[in-house]
Amino acid sequence: MGISISSFHSSLALVFSFSPLQTHLPKQYCLDDQRSCLLQLQHDLYYAPNFTFTSKFELWDPNTDCCSWEGVTCDDAIGHVIGLDLSYKNLSWTFHSVFDLHHLQRLNLAGNKFNTTLLSYGFDELPNLTHLNLSSSCFHGQNPMEISYLTRLVSLDLSYQDATLRLEKPSFKT
């Protein structure tokens, strides 16, 4: 039995291949103000094993998108820095520029050598903070009242400080 050309054409089906539609917007890049804060932070920090300042902290390449930098997490929609993990980098000096990252939700500075009090820092400038880890970072003195203003905080780790970190005013009751 043979197939005629006319019946072959009538049974011919067109096959289309569709790729799935994009269901989300393309990834945004780090905003200029966020990049500036992170570069200032990098400028202010030193690599300091054994409390000896050996070199500037230069983990990030300023010629690349800061959302791709090690330890930096950005929200995909806008480009705000929402996470910063600089844990166990043997860092010291100051991290004041972190408090200009107002959209920050997670901050991990554990395992560093800050050897300072927390009173001079502006934790109240981080209203979106949900996770704060300052363990093993050589903080001492009184915990700042501003930590009590972090109403979204679900995790706070201040453990294993080399010196005494006190919680007197404010107390847990406050």
Side-chain angles (χ1 to χ4, degrees), residues 116-118 134 139-143 158 161 163-167:
T116 186
T117 68
L118 290 172
L134 302 174
F139 290 112
H140 54 84
Q142 174 62 38
N143 279 310
L158 300 170
Q161 302 299 328
T164 306
L165 190 58
R166 297 184 312 273
L167 189 60

Side-chain angles (χ1 to χ4, degrees), residues 46-85:
Y46 286 86
Y47 178 68
N50 302 318
F51 297 101
T52 305
F53 298 121
T54 59
S55 62
K56 291 296 289 176
F57 169 64
E58 293 183 3
L59 180 64
W60 302 319
D61 178 359
N63 297 316
T64 59
D65 175 40
C66 68
C67 290
S68 68
W69 291 349
E70 181 181 336
V72 176
T73 304
C74 296
D75 64 352
D76 286 339
I78 299 173
H80 290 123
V81 174
I82 58 170
L84 186 59
D85 184 351

Side-chain angles (χ1 to χ4, degrees), residues 2 12 38 65 67 69 95 106 121 127-128 141 158:
L12 186 66
L38 291 170
D65 175 40
C67 290
W69 291 349
F95 57 94
R106 294 176 172 264
Y121 293 97
N128 298 308
L158 300 170

Side-chain angles (χ1 to χ4, degrees), residues 64-121:
T64 59
D65 175 40
C66 68
C67 290
S68 68
W69 291 349
E70 181 181 336
V72 176
T73 304
C74 296
D75 64 352
D76 286 339
I78 299 173
H80 290 123
V81 174
I82 58 170
L84 186 59
D85 184 351
L86 296 176
S87 58
Y88 298 94
K89 302 278 187 219
N90 286 312
L91 299 175
S92 189
W93 200 240
T94 181
F95 57 94
H96 285 286
S97 55
V98 163
F99 298 100
D100 292 327
L101 298 169
H102 302 291
H103 298 274
L104 204 58
Q105 297 171 12
R106 294 176 172 264
L107 177 59
N108 187 348
L109 298 174
N112 288 294
K113 314 270 191 238
F114 290 108
N115 197 28
T116 186
T117 68
L118 290 172
L119 287 176
S120 63
Y121 293 97

